[in-house]
Every structure is written in structure tokens, then in C-alpha cells.
Amino acid sequence: GAGVSQSPSNKVTEKGKDVELRCDPISGHTALYWYRQSLGQGLEFLIYFQGNSAPDKSGLPSDRFSAERTGGSVSTLTIQRTQQEDSAVYLCASSPSTGRYGYTFGSGTRLTVV
Amino acid sequence: QQPVQSPQAVILREGEDAVINCSSSKALYSVHWYRQKHGEAPVFLMILLKGGEQKGHDKISASFNEKKQQSSLYLTASQLSYSGTYFCGTEYTSGTYKYIFGTGTRLKVLA
């Protein structure tokens, strides 16, 4: 696609429910990142995918968070048993390779846990 | 491990200049700069790949000092459209490849 596409753009969920956030990167981009941004805060690294290599999961805040990337393209971030502190904007970014070209961000998913 | 940006926030009048610094505790391969407007995703501005390299477009430029593990973003003759939060993105290895954003600098340009 022309840009990085994320869905849904907004998600309101009840505490304790599971949610899935989707990221469709730019076609051909091998590198894909997930970040979390709380209101007025910086970009918190969550997970990094590069081609067929094992993902870097070192930023995931707890075992309730997981992500996968199928076929080196679409990625899904799953949050199980959501908590109120999970409320944030979840941003996905992709790049042709490892950072040398800058990253293109999607518009994000605003998650609100009530 | 997160690069520290300074200042945290700055308010300018249109036409004034500003410098935003990004300082890392890691040896960096490259530094990127992004601008994020309120309610929008960050937008890539430029990348600096070599020590001492300076890049820029329009009235926004940047430098990268590898030895000091620092980068600076220079905004000259600021315009209202420059308002937003600026982030540096740093590329390094720590056993594995890492790409970490700085703490951010909020810039507000007033008419």
C-alpha cells in the first residue's frame, strides 16, 4: 500500500477483555516496529520484526502482550486481559531495512480501557 | 538507555531560531529526526549516517557528533508550522540491533 495502515483507529474495550491491533506495513518493507505512546509522553518501544529473523520482544511490558507477523507482512499486536494502564496510542512503523531509511508510521490505534 | 533530549520544551516567536539536542549513552550508527504534530503520527525529517554529517532542508538542519554520541537539530527563522514534538531516533547495537527514540522536545511557535 501507499502507507502504513493500522486498524482499528479507535478501540474502546472493557477491562479484562482481549484486543487485537493490526498493522499493514508498506509493501516490501522488511522492518516493522510497534511503539506505545501514552498521552503527552514519548515513544515506548514494544517489539521489532526484521524479515524472517526472530523478533526482538524485549520491550513488551508483560506476558499479556504478544505480537506476530505473518508472511513477513501484516502484524498483529494482541493484548490479553486488558488493564486501564494499557490505554494509549499504539503506533506501528515500517522501513525498507534496518533504520537506514527512516521509519514510516501509521496513524495509530487509540486504545481506551474502561 | 533512552536518549535524553534537551530542552524538554521551548516556546518561540515566529522567525526565532532554536536548537534541540539529543544525547545518547550508546555508540550510534545513525540518528534520525522526527516531528509529531498533536494527534498525528511522527513524520520522518532526516537521517544522519556519519559523524560530523550535517543535513538539512529548508530552514531545518541537523548535525551528528559520533564521538560525543550527540545530535543537534537546528530550526532557523521558525514558522508556525514547526510547532510539534521533535524526537530523535537512534540506531545502535547492544548484542542485537536497537532503534530507540529520545525523550522528545515540545516546540511551540507563536505568531
Side-chain angles (χ1 to χ4, degrees), chain B residues 22-36:
Chain B
C22 171
S23 181
S24 173
S25 61
K26 303 289 185 181
L28 303 174
Y29 288 156
S30 71
V31 178
H32 307 169
W33 285 96
Y34 295 78
R35 177 171 59 211
Q36 183 179 29

Side-chain angles (χ1 to χ4, degrees), chain A residues 33 35 37 39-43 45 48 56 58 91 97-108 110, chain B residues 2 29-30 32 34 36 38-44 47 49 87 91 96-103 106:
Chain A
Y33 273 94
Y35 292 92
Q37 188 172 36
L39 187 63
Q41 301 301 309
L43 296 153
F45 163 71
Y48 164 61
D56 178 358
S58 60
L91 290 162
S97 183
T98 52
R100 296 290 166 127
Y101 306 91
Y103 284 85
T104 301
F105 280 84
S107 299
R110 181 175 300 278
Chain B
Q2 186 177 24
Y29 288 156
S30 71
H32 307 169
Y34 295 78
Q36 183 179 29
H38 182 69
E40 299 179 9
V43 174
F44 173 71
I47 179 174
L49 290 172
F87 292 99
E91 184 183 25
T96 58
Y97 171 83
K98 295 290 185 185
Y99 189 89
I100 303 296
F101 283 92
T103 50
R106 289 189 302 278

Side-chain angles (χ1 to χ4, degrees), chain B residues 37-78:
Chain B
K37 292 190 177 289
H38 182 69
E40 299 179 9
V43 174
F44 173 71
L45 295 177
M46 66 185 76
I47 179 174
L48 299 106
L49 290 172
K50 299 178 183 177
E53 182 178 21
Q54 295 195 10
K55 278 200 171 179
H57 57 86
D58 198 9
K59 297 183 175 65
I60 301 175
S61 62
S63 63
F64 177 25
N65 187 325
E66 278 183 342
K67 290 184 179 179
K68 291 186 177 180
Q69 297 167 187
Q70 289 179 337
S71 177
S72 295
L73 185 71
Y74 307 95
L75 303 124
T76 57
S78 59

